[in-house]
Amino acid sequence: EKAARAGLAHISRSSGAFLLIYDNVDTPDVLRDLVPSAGARLLVTTRWADWGGRSAELALDVLGRESAVELLQKRAGRHDEAGATQLAEALGCLPLALDHAGAYCRLTGSSFDSYREKIDRLLARPPKGAPYPASVGATFDVAIEEAAGECPAAEVLLGFCAFLAPERIPLELIAGDLSDEEERAEAILTLAAVSLVEHVEIE
């Protein structure tokens, strides 16, 4: 910690330009004492949804289908556009899931179709040597546990939403599952804060 503070002080006094990358930040409060007063730009990756007024936000969505198919084929080291398309769709075009699936297929020589047939079991564990050691399932589990620990109704609401995913869900449907308006608002806020749901206007 002492070395980190010295480093931040050095950056503040330096005439050069620095880029500091903070990856997977839980909340803005985590960075309170980790921002130099000058000399640096920050890039923050996070699931926390509300950075309003603190920074310029760039929301990242899942990959487009073409990009997902390309990533899967490159990562697996094979050309099978039809198989990659079906697997990418089954994985929801989530980059982490695509990376793990591609690595597994490369390391085991499995086809995309073979992976898709065992998808539930394989998503529960990362392939050996994957750059992100946590499995896709574990990554979601952490976010779900965090939300449920903060607001028990969030887990109930997420379970309800899972039946209707990935379609947009009108709030009127949620009202039937969680009748208390304040409890419902708190559950939505908690899930949105860790990017498990997104509140958008439906025309």
Side-chain angles (χ1 to χ4, degrees):
E1 189 175 328
K2 186 176 178 183
R5 295 199 186 290
L8 292 171
H10 171 74
I11 288 171
S12 298
R13 293 189 305 270
S14 175
S15 59
F18 288 84
L19 173 65
L20 293 180
I21 300 173
Y22 290 107
D23 187 35
N24 200 22
V25 173
D26 288 333
T27 68
D29 294 341
V30 171
L31 299 179
R32 183 174 289 126
D33 298 325
L34 298 173
V35 179
S37 57
R41 296 232 173 196
L42 268 62
L43 177 63
V44 178
T45 67
T46 183
R47 289 189 318 265
W48 186 261
D50 185 20
W51 289 79
R54 296 183 181 102
S55 64
E57 295 179 29
L58 175 63
L60 298 178
D61 204 348
V62 296
L63 291 177
R65 195 170 76 171
E66 273 184 34
S67 298
V69 169
E70 183 182 348
L71 171 63
L72 203 44
Q73 291 182 102
K74 279 186 179 175
R75 188 71 173 97
R78 72 168 46 107
H79 182 76
D80 173 7
E81 192 161 338
T85 300
Q86 289 183 327
L87 181 53
E89 288 173 357
L91 294 169
C93 295
L94 292 167
L96 178 60
L98 293 165
D99 182 73
H100 281 186
Y104 180 90
C105 290
R106 178 188 288 266
L107 293 169
T108 63
S110 299
S111 68
F112 295 136
D113 291 337
S114 172
Y115 189 97
R116 194 165 40 84
E117 289 167 9
K118 300 177 274 194
I119 197 166
D120 290 335
R121 189 167 49 79
L122 293 173
L123 283 178
R125 62 174 202 248
K128 286 182 170 50
Y132 297 97
S135 70
V136 176
T139 301
F140 278 102
D141 284 347
V142 168
I144 292 166
E145 285 172 21
E146 186 179 317
E150 194 171 314
C151 173
E155 192 169 14
V156 173
L157 178 58
L158 189 61
F160 174 77
C161 292
F163 284 106
L164 302 173
E167 302 303 323
R168 292 181 174 180
I169 304 167
L171 288 176
E172 293 79 33
L173 289 180
I174 294 171
D177 200 53
L178 286 173
S179 54
D180 183 275
E181 188 176 341
E182 195 171 316
E183 183 182 42
R184 187 171 62 245
E186 183 65 27
I188 292 170
L189 178 67
T190 303
L191 293 172
V194 291
S195 297
L196 287 171
V197 299
E198 180 183 19
H199 189 191
V200 295
E201 293 294 322
I202 299 177
E203 296 193 14

